[in-house]
Amino acid sequence: HTFATSSAVPRLQKGPLKVYALGLYSPSDVFDAPDEASLWSKLRLSKSGSGARGIVCVLTFKVSAQKMSGALIDSLKPRFKGPSSALDALSDKIVEGCSGGGGKGTVFEFLCLSKDKIQVSVNGNDQGVVEASNVGGAFADIYLDEKGVSPTLKVDILQKWKGE
C-alpha cells in the first residue's frame, strides 16, 4: 500500500473544536486513474475501488473515547445502511481500545479490508474486525465521498494525483 496523503482535520462535533491528524493508505495503482472521476471511483470501496484502504487518525488534542467514537459513528450512520449492531460493534472496539481515554497522540487505525470488513486498532493494539454489508466502504466514504468530512484530505489527494 502507498501512503496517499495526510492532513490536519478540524472537526466540529457538538462542542469545542477537536483536531486530529489524518492519513490515508491505498493501493498505488489508484493514482494511475486517467481522470478525476476515475480517481474518486477507484478510491471509494463503495464504488469500483478494490484493495484495502487504511485510515489513520492521530489525536492532536485530548478527547474521550466516547466522543471520538460518537463522532465517527455519527459520520458513518448516513452512509451505512446495515444493521445497527455493526455500528455498536465498531463503537465498542474504538472505546475498548482507549481504556484510559483518548489522550494526545492516540493512534486509531481503521483498515477497510474490503467494502464489507473493517479492522480496528488503537495504539497498535488490534481490537478486532467488524463485518457487515458495506461497513468498510461506508467508513472510507466518511473521508472520500462528496460530503467527506475532510475537504483538506481531498485537496491533498488531488494534488498527489496531479503530481503537485
Side-chain angles (χ1 to χ4, degrees), residues 105-122:
T106 299
V107 179
F108 297 92
E109 297 173 79
F110 302 96
L111 183 57
C112 303
L113 298 164
S114 70
K115 74 179 210 163
D116 299 328
K117 188 185 298 187
I118 184 169
Q119 180 177 2
V120 179
S121 70
V122 180

Side-chain angles (χ1 to χ4, degrees), residues 33-42 158 161-162:
D35 55 56
E36 190 175 328
S38 298
L39 170 69
W40 294 113
S41 183
K42 288 177 80 170
L158 279 175
W161 175 70
K162 292 176 181 178

Side-chain angles (χ1 to χ4, degrees), residues 138-158:
F139 191 90
D141 279 353
I142 291 172
Y143 302 98
L144 298 172
D145 71 10
E146 300 81 16
K147 297 179 181 177
V149 300
S150 175
T152 305
L153 176 67
K154 293 178 79 174
V155 167
D156 288 351
I157 289 169
L158 279 175

